[in-house]
């Protein structure tokens, strides 16, 4: 477990002090991918550097497995840094192959040839590039280069992997490949991953936990699937489909309700069963479906007609759906369950 407690960091800018982080508190659970999402300038890169122990905070504490890293002597600090892998962009050596770039940290550490080859081979398999081992950077696509950068960060078997905007500048396929590698690093190597990104879609794809960073402050954090079930959550607003619908379409229904459904069973079965059980006509007026990792999640604006519409909504809520009711001529959102 990595714990950040009341972390603050200020830099001296051209026109005076610039506050990068303000009193940030955050847990990064062991064996998870934690996504830190926020716009440019929100403090994501500063937080990543502090967690990599490359810089010291002005105040606050970073604890790794309960140990306060600010109290480490130089020797123990170097040892702690070796347990942290940092994905570095754009500094693969042009004169080295993909395998050679991955092997470089092992060579510098004096690891013998057979052990180096074994480790590099495992990582090439992890990133799906065994057939590209002998290719030089100029022959690789941007997505492949990014995967090699992740592999090189993993070669020391770090407990914590830091990836600061690892999908920047990549096309859809390239970004998907990098995120798959990060997910495999967590699942197969047991690495704890902290992923900083401005792209909420990246978090939706691979994160277990999430923190929203705005102007150097954490405005919301927690387990992703828990947060998205709260329609008022900033995470839900950022990651789930919008539920807007024309007024004319809304007016066709006696009742309107916003519903969040999580999981295959809920998304596939609750609405049809509620329709049958309560004799209520239920239509999807707005919203849509997405996936959080491999879990389907629906956020619908429902239109309901029938004497038992409220009972149908209550029944959906009792079975795990998150329901918020609207009037057909919309007024303020009121929590139903």
């Amino acid at each position: 477990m990595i714990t950040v407690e009341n972390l603050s960091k200020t830099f001296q800018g051209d026109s005076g002090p610039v506050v990068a982080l303000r009193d940030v508190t955050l847990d990064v659970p062991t064996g998870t991918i934690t996504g830190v999402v926020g716009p440019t300038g929100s403090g994501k890169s500063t937080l990543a550097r502090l967690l990599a122990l490359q810089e010291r905070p002005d105040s606050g504490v970073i604890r790794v497995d309960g140990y306060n890293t600010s109290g480490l002597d130089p020797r123990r600090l170097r040892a702690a840094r070796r347990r942290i892998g940092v994905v570095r962009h754009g500094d693969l050596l042009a004169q080295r192959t993909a395998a050679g770039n991955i092997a470089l940290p092992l060579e510098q550490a004096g690891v013998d040839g057979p052990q180096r080859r074994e480790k590099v081979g495992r990582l090439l398999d992890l990133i799906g590039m065994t057939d590209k081992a002998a290719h030089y950077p100029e022959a690789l696509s941007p997505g492949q280069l990014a995967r090699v950068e992740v592999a090189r960060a993993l070669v020391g078997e770090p407990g914590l992997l830091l990836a600061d905007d690892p999908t920047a500048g990549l096309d859809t396929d390239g970004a998907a490949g990098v995120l798959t590698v990060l997910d495999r690093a967590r699942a197969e190597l047991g690495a704890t991953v902290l992923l900083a990104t401005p792209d909420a879609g990246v978090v939706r794809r691979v994160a277990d936990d999430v923190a929203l960073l705005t102007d150097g402050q954490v405005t919301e954090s927690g387990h992703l699937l828990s947060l998205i079930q709260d329609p008022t959550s900033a995470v839900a607003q950022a990651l789930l489909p919008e539920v807007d619908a024309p007024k004319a379409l809304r007016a066709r229904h006696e009742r309107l309700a916003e519903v969040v459904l999580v999981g295959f069973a809920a998304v596939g079965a609750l609405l049809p069963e509620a329709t049958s059980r309560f004799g209520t006509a239920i239509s999807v007026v707005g919203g849509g479906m997405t996936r959080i990792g491999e879990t389907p999640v629906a956020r619908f604006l429902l239109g309901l007609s029938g004497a038992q519409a409220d009972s149908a909504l209550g029944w959906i809520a009792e079975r795990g759906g998150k329901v918020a009711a609207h009037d057909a001529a919309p007024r303020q959102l009121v929590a139903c369950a």
Side-chain angles (χ1 to χ4, degrees), residues 78-145:
R78 287 193 296 272
R81 285 174 178 154
R82 286 194 292 270
R83 295 291 299 141
I84 300 170
V86 180
V87 180
R88 304 185 189 280
H89 305 299
D91 63 349
L92 296 180
L93 298 179
Q95 68 272 27
R96 279 181 168 259
T97 63
N101 270 288
I102 297 170
L104 182 59
L106 298 175
E107 294 177 17
Q108 294 170 336
V111 177
D112 63 47
Q115 190 175 359
R116 278 203 315 270
R117 287 189 289 274
E118 180 185 357
K119 284 192 172 186
V120 171
R122 288 204 308 267
L123 287 170
L124 284 167
D125 179 64
L126 181 86
I127 66 174
M129 289 181 58
T130 300
D131 61 337
K132 306 291 185 184
H135 285 57
Y136 289 89
E138 65 179 8
L140 300 176
S141 70
Q144 290 168 340
L145 292 172

Side-chain angles (χ1 to χ4, degrees), residues 203-210 222-229 235 239 292-293:
V203 170
R204 181 170 54 232
R205 172 76 184 267
V206 295
D208 304 294
D209 286 60
V210 64
H223 186 60
L224 182 52
L225 282 175
S226 297
L227 288 173
I228 58 98
Q229 293 182 66
V235 170
L239 297 185
I292 303 297

Side-chain angles (χ1 to χ4, degrees), residues 129-215:
M129 289 181 58
T130 300
D131 61 337
K132 306 291 185 184
H135 285 57
Y136 289 89
E138 65 179 8
L140 300 176
S141 70
Q144 290 168 340
L145 292 172
R147 281 186 273 160
V148 173
E149 291 168 348
V150 175
R152 185 177 55 182
L154 289 167
V155 77
E157 300 179 4
L160 173 64
L161 180 68
L162 296 174
D164 186 4
D165 204 3
T167 61
L170 300 181
D171 61 19
T172 301
D173 289 341
V178 171
L179 296 180
T180 296
V181 169
L182 293 176
D183 195 35
R184 293 188 69 185
R186 181 269 308 269
E188 299 179 23
L189 303 181
T192 299
V193 180
L194 185 132
L195 169 62
T197 177
D199 186 352
V202 167
V203 170
R204 181 170 54 232
R205 172 76 184 267
V206 295
D208 304 294
D209 286 60
V210 64
L212 294 184
L213 199 59
T214 306
D215 294 329

